Amino acid sequence: ELDGKLRAAPNTGELASFDKCAFSLKSVRVEQFCGLLFVNLDPEAKSFAELSGNLEAELRQYCPRIDDLVFAHRHNYEVASNWKVLIDNFLECYHCGPAHRDFVNLVDMQTYKSRVCGIYSSHISQAAKVNNSAFKFEKGDVDFGYAAWYVWPNLTIWIYPGETNVSTLQMIPAGPERTLENLDWFLPQTEPTKQLADAMAYMDEVLQPEDIGLCESVQRGLHSRGYNQGRFVIDKMLTHLSEHAVHHFQKMVVDALGATIR
């Protein structure tokens, strides 16, 4: 049945003690959040709405038309790196200046701030440069610089300047040193405009390859016999150079594993 109950099973009419109710599909919790569906296999877990706190309000602040968006395109990537390395990379912009020339030309890094809150962290710049080397745009519904969020454990949500858009990047572990990435774009219509197509091309052809190359290099470096551990660089102003969001993520990993931080 549509509710998961077993309708019938051939040759069970005379089967002793056969109870159709005992063979229903297992129920799964599904929640809708800003048009996205979140699935949880734990029936005892708190709801996503409760866990995510102010995240929905923040998304709606930076994308008021989020309910009107539709799925437009998916890019897939296979990365030779552990998924936690990819999350670490997203959560700091310490590397942005040396590694992402076009991104720092697009976003006003002086207004870039990162903040942690419960199971997520925000990464927002209040201004963007219309004349930049990443992609051309005119100020529209998205009239700030850049907004992105990390959501525990492996989801990131992005909003670029220009016409209304939301993209999600999910990092799915496929082994100790292999991750599958799904980059989904949600736009006002399935066919992107020229400006949105340019933004999508920048993400797919420039920013993603830059980050993937960095993360695969870090993964190789973790095998070095000279590597022990790094040091968090954190500042009180929570600037783009501060790595407090990385520390926030790594603490959640430690807590999930039931371990302790020395």
Side-chain angles (χ1 to χ4, degrees):
E1 304 287 357
L2 294 177
D3 62 2
K5 294 178 181 177
L6 178 63
R7 177 184 295 178
N11 205 31
T12 58
E14 304 300 325
L15 192 63
S17 303
F18 180 78
D19 182 5
K20 289 192 298 182
C21 295
F23 295 91
S24 301
L25 295 177
K26 298 295 185 286
S27 60
V28 174
R29 294 177 57 182
V30 179
E31 291 182 56
Q32 181 172 305
F33 179 86
C34 292
L36 301 173
L37 294 179
F38 285 76
V39 179
N40 193 326
L41 301 181
D42 182 0
E44 304 301 323
K46 294 181 180 179
S47 70
F48 182 77
E50 181 180 357
L51 289 171
S52 59
N54 201 46
L55 177 60
E56 180 173 359
E58 292 183 23
L59 282 168
R60 293 188 180 280
Q61 175 186 351
Y62 289 98
C63 186
R65 296 176 55 199
I66 194 168
D67 292 325
D68 300 329
L69 303 185
V70 296
F71 173 76
H73 190 72
R74 165 172 286 189
H75 297 286
N76 300 108
Y77 311 91
E78 184 171 337
V79 188
S81 171
N82 184 276
W83 71 278
K84 295 185 293 295
V85 170
L86 292 168
I87 299 294
D88 280 352
N89 178 79
F90 171 83
L91 290 172
E92 49 83 9
C93 215
Y94 191 86
H95 71 280
C96 289
H100 300 309
R101 178 182 63 85
D102 297 310
F103 181 79
V104 298
N105 189 243
L106 166 69
V107 174
D108 178 9
M109 303 308 294
Q110 298 302 313
T111 64
Y112 190 113
K113 300 287 184 183
S114 298
R115 291 182 170 83
V116 301
C117 182
I119 66 166
Y120 75 93
S121 58
S122 63
H123 310 264
I124 294 171
S125 170
Q126 297 299 333
K129 305 166 188 174
V130 174
N131 296 315
N132 67 84
S133 56
F135 59 90
K136 306 304 179 186
F137 70 95
E138 295 181 2
K139 289 194 174 184
D141 292 337
V142 182
D143 59 0
F144 52 91
Y146 163 80
W149 295 264
Y150 158 73
V151 184
W152 168 265
N154 64 334
L155 177 69
T156 61
I157 303 171
W158 311 56
I159 303 176
Y160 278 111
E163 299 172 25
T164 300
N165 69 94
V166 170
S167 56
T168 61
L169 181 64
Q170 187 176 24
M171 285 146 270
I172 304 170
E177 299 188 13
R178 181 170 168 263
T179 302
L180 303 178
E181 290 189 323
N182 295 330
L183 172 60
D184 293 330
W185 287 89
F186 302 91
L187 309 175
Q189 59 272 334
T190 56
E191 189 66 28
T193 63
K194 172 67 165 59
Q195 188 255 288
L196 288 173
D198 288 345
M200 294 167 67
Y202 163 70
M203 183 75 164
D204 177 50
E205 299 172 10
V206 180
L207 190 64
Q208 272 291 93
E210 289 172 345
D211 274 330
I212 288 172
L214 288 172
C215 292
E216 291 183 339
S217 178
V218 168
Q219 186 66 49
R220 292 191 297 271
L222 292 175
H223 289 285
S224 170
R225 297 174 69 179
Y227 172 74
N228 179 23
Q229 66 183 46
R231 173 72 184 271
F232 290 110
V233 178
I234 297 176
D235 61 61
K236 294 181 180 180
M237 299 300 293
L238 308 182
T239 69
H240 69 283
L241 297 175
S242 184
E243 297 180 320
H244 55 282
V246 182
H247 182 268
H248 172 251
F249 163 65
Q250 293 193 8
K251 186 178 185 303
M252 285 195 288
V253 172
V254 169
D255 291 344
L257 294 174
T260 57
I261 298 178
R262 291 184 296 174

